């Protein structure tokens, strides 16, 4: 794939306006910008949870390996059943899981069999034990209680040898780790984790452990970013707080570009910012400064930055740069709206749209058409069993507590207007089952 300049990508987006960019256009732009990191590593399966499968995993086995019983009962030959009358058969032995019955079985004979036991040769049907009458070795199978082939699992029915068991790009979940084990794999080939260097900018920021002097605030963005990157399966590289000084910013960007596939900064990208972050970004990389039609998270820089020699990035043309706004909620919202999908694509993960809930808003919400809003909400079950969502108390983009108290983001789409109480809205839940 040839590497496009940012201007080339922009020119392919109809009606591109960097000063009022709809969220969908920004997402499409970023999709065109990123390329997957191709490096692969071999891991023990328990270390591969949450990692991206590098290639199709083809089954080397039939699952199950042989025809076997799905019930505890009696294995028999379906052709020996009498049809409209009861059938009497002689029980000549027992098969257990792990110790199948190995003898040959005659026409009017049957074998007691346990669930999961390999079917004795020539037998194709299992009658469950609760259906039959047993008297010594005489087993009476009532008419109509079973048909040929019932209660038998066929060899390869779950997965046939040579079939794709797990497709490339799969983010491995608990069931997949079990599948790998069931197919006899101790190790699996996964994509290398996407390396993401990140730092905060702003002279007012202090790191935890430092004293908080007047006018300063603790840097929280590096911690939420670290946590979101961990959850996403990326490799976070924490570069600390960088002061608003051109030489220090330049050194930080160059080091980040030389060691990472992506760089995330927070702060310093708003219009009218007095600091040097934007200038240094523009000087060192191919960078665009956007005002996105969204709330929170309007200012954002996007680009590509080359780390010069010793470049480590898997991205052609240099590390991808996401210059996020400084406000703590805006950082999280822009990460979820733009960075998350980009990093998953860079990590080789197959695209899976996020599930959205449809929930009744418990209050009216004011919303201007022409921008996407992400409001903090709390989703719960209403008395009628339907989902409902309450708007968080504070919606300020600097109020991190509003994210902590919420369990989902209410997504008010670009064209949407005011929401009436009781109206259904889209909600992105923060957490899922696995
Ligand atoms: P900026 O986009 O740099 O103008 O920052 C917007 C607001 O977010 C300011 O109030 C900053 O103090 C605050 N802010 C910026 N970076 C951080 C950070 N890393 N942690 C906490 N607050 C921040
Ligand atoms: Mg700042």
């Amino acid at each position: 794939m040839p590497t496009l300049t940012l201007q080339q990508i922009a020119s392919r987006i109809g009606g591109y306006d960097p000063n009022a960019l709809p969220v969908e256009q920004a997402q499409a732009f970023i999709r065109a910008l990123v390329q997957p990191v191709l490096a692969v590593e071999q891991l023990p399966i328990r270390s591969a949870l949450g990692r991206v499968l590098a290639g199709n995993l083809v089954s080397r086995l039939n699952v199950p390996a042989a025809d076997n019983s799905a019930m505890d009962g009696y294995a028999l030959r379906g052709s020996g059943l009498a049809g409209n009358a009861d059938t009497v058969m002689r029980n000549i032995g027992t098969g257990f899981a792990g110790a199948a019955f190995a003898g040959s079985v005659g026409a009017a004979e049957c074998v007691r069999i346990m669930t999961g036991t390999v079917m004795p040769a020539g037998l194709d049907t299992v009658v469950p034990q609760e259906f039959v009458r047993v008297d010594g070795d005489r087993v009476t199978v009532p008419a109509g209680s079973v048909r040929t082939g019932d209660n038998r699992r066929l060899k390869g029915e779950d997965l046939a040898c040579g079939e794709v068991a797990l497709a490339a790009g799969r983010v491995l979940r608990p069931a997949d780790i079990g599948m790998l084990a069931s197919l006899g794999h101790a190790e699996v080939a996964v994509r290398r984790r996407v390396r993401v260097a990140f730092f905060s900018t702003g002279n007012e920021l202090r790191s935890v452990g430092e004293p908080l002097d007047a006018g300063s605030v603790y840097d929280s963005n590096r911690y939420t970013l670290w946590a979101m990157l961990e959850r996403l399966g990326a490799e976070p590289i924490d570069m600390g707080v960088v002061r608003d000084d051109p030489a220090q910013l330049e050194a930080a960007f160059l080091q980040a570009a030389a060691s990472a596939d992506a760089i995330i900064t927070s702060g310093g990208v708003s219009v009218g910012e007095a600091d040097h972050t934007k200038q240094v970004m523009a000087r060192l990389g191919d960078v665009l400064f956007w005002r996105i039609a969204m709330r929170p998270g309007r200012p954002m820089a996007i680009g590509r930055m080359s780390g010069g020699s010793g470049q480590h990035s898997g991205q052609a043309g240099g590390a991808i740069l996401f210059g996020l706004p400084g406000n703590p909620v805006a950082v999280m919202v822009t990460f979820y709206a733009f960075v998350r999908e980009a990093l998953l694509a860079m990590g080789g993960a197959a695209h899976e749209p996020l599930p959205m809930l449809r929930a009744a808003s418990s209050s009216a919400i004011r919303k201007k058409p022409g921008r996407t809003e992400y409001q903090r909400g709390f989703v719960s079950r209403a008395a009628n069993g339907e989902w409902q969502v309450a708007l968080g108390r504070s919606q300020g983009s600097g109020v991190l507590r509003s994210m902590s108290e919420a369990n989902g983001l209410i997504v008010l789409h670009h064209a949407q207007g005011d929401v009436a109480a009781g109206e259904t809205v889209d909600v992105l839940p923060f957490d899922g089952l696995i």
Side-chain angles (χ1 to χ4, degrees):
M1 210 190 302
T3 305
L4 301 173
T5 65
L6 271 70
Q7 282 307 332
Q8 282 171 326
I9 296 170
S11 69
R12 294 177 179 198
I13 292 180
Y16 172 79
D17 176 2
N19 289 315
L21 195 64
V23 166
E24 287 75 18
Q25 283 196 5
Q27 288 168 335
F29 187 107
I30 292 169
R31 232 171 272 137
L33 179 68
V34 300
Q35 285 169 32
V37 173
L38 297 173
V40 168
E41 60 197 24
Q42 196 77 15
L43 291 180
I45 56 176
R46 281 187 182 163
S47 304
L49 182 64
R51 300 292 298 269
V52 178
L53 192 65
N56 283 346
L57 189 101
V58 174
S59 179
R60 305 181 294 200
L61 305 173
N62 280 303
V63 182
D67 294 2
N68 68 84
S69 176
M71 301 287 274
D72 291 342
Y74 293 83
L76 47 84
R77 216 176 246 101
S79 58
L81 292 166
N84 293 333
D86 291 358
T87 308
V88 177
M89 292 187 157
R90 196 165 70 88
N91 176 12
I92 60 161
T94 304
F96 296 98
F101 180 83
S104 66
V105 186
E109 293 174 340
C110 64
V111 172
R112 177 143 166 75
I113 195 166
M114 307 304 158
T115 305
T117 304
V118 173
M119 295 290 285
L123 305 192
D124 53 16
T125 304
V126 174
V127 55
Q129 61 189 17
E130 53 272 30
F131 290 179
V132 301
R133 292 190 301 278
V134 179
D135 179 12
D137 64 356
R138 276 168 55 93
V139 177
T140 304
V141 182
S145 61
V146 71
R147 284 168 312 181
T148 299
D150 278 1
N151 307 310
R152 170 195 51 168
R153 295 193 285 232
L154 291 172
K155 168 182 171 175
E157 131 184 329
D158 296 351
L159 189 60
C161 184
E163 215 181 304
V164 173
L166 294 167
R170 175 150 191 115
V171 179
L172 296 169
R173 298 194 291 232
D176 305 327
I177 303 298
M179 281 264 289
L180 287 164
S182 78
L183 297 176
H185 293 270
E187 294 192 335
V188 62
V190 296
R191 297 287 191 102
R192 154 162 97 54
R193 297 214 284 170
V194 177
R195 299 191 182 108
V196 186
F198 59 103
F199 55 88
S200 299
T201 69
N203 288 345
E204 77 282 23
L205 302 177
R206 299 291 174 272
S207 290
V208 286
E210 290 177 2
L212 205 58
D213 42 314
S216 60
V217 293
Y218 280 125
D219 171 11
S220 59
N221 290 344
R222 266 166 55 230
Y223 292 83
T224 38
L225 277 171
W226 171 85
M228 292 188 293
L229 290 167
E230 278 286 334
R231 278 261 178 117
L232 204 60
E235 182 185 322
I237 305 172
D238 185 351
M239 296 185 57
V241 174
V242 178
R243 290 192 63 81
D244 181 27
D245 166 83
Q248 286 186 35
L249 283 164
E250 174 165 337
F253 276 117
L254 291 179
Q255 191 194 330
S259 56
D261 308 301
I263 307 168
I264 302 177
T265 63
S266 69
V269 291
S270 346
V271 178
E273 268 288 341
D275 67 25
H276 299 282
T277 310
K278 287 170 81 172
Q279 292 155 32
V280 175
M281 280 180 183
R283 181 153 50 78
L284 296 181
D286 183 8
V287 181
L288 300 175
F289 296 94
W290 286 341
R291 291 170 74 188
I292 304 174
M294 70 187 288
R295 210 166 84 149
R298 200 150 79 115
M300 184 173 139
I302 184 80
R304 218 163 15 206
M305 200 169 272
S306 162
S309 60
Q311 149 102 288
H312 221 261
S313 165
Q315 294 291 293
I320 299 296
L321 168 71
F322 300 94
L324 305 185
N327 272 312
V329 180
V331 166
M332 296 194 76
V333 168
T334 49
F335 185 95
Y336 290 135
F338 306 112
V339 184
R340 179 184 173 280
E341 193 188 311
L343 293 181
L344 286 173
M346 288 169 71
H351 179 70
E352 264 188 57
L354 281 171
M356 287 236 207
L357 288 181
R358 300 278 294 154
S361 177
S362 42
S363 62
I365 310 175
R366 292 188 67 81
K367 159 72 171 62
K368 260 202 230 159
R371 68 183 184 205
T372 306
E373 291 191 13
Y374 298 88
Q375 310 244 14
R376 273 68 75 209
F378 194 87
V379 184
S380 60
R381 285 272 198 198
N384 66 2
E386 303 287 335
W387 291 115
Q388 65 184 2
V389 63
L391 200 59
R393 276 178 301 172
S394 165
Q395 295 292 335
S397 71
V399 187
L400 189 54
R401 184 175 166 200
S402 71
M403 281 299 275
S404 175
E405 286 177 349
N407 63 2
L409 287 172
I410 302 171
V411 184
L412 303 174
H413 299 281
H414 191 84
Q416 205 168 344
D418 288 344
V419 173
E423 198 178 317
T424 305
V425 289
D426 274 339
V427 182
L428 278 173
F430 287 154
D431 284 302
L433 179 64
I434 48 179

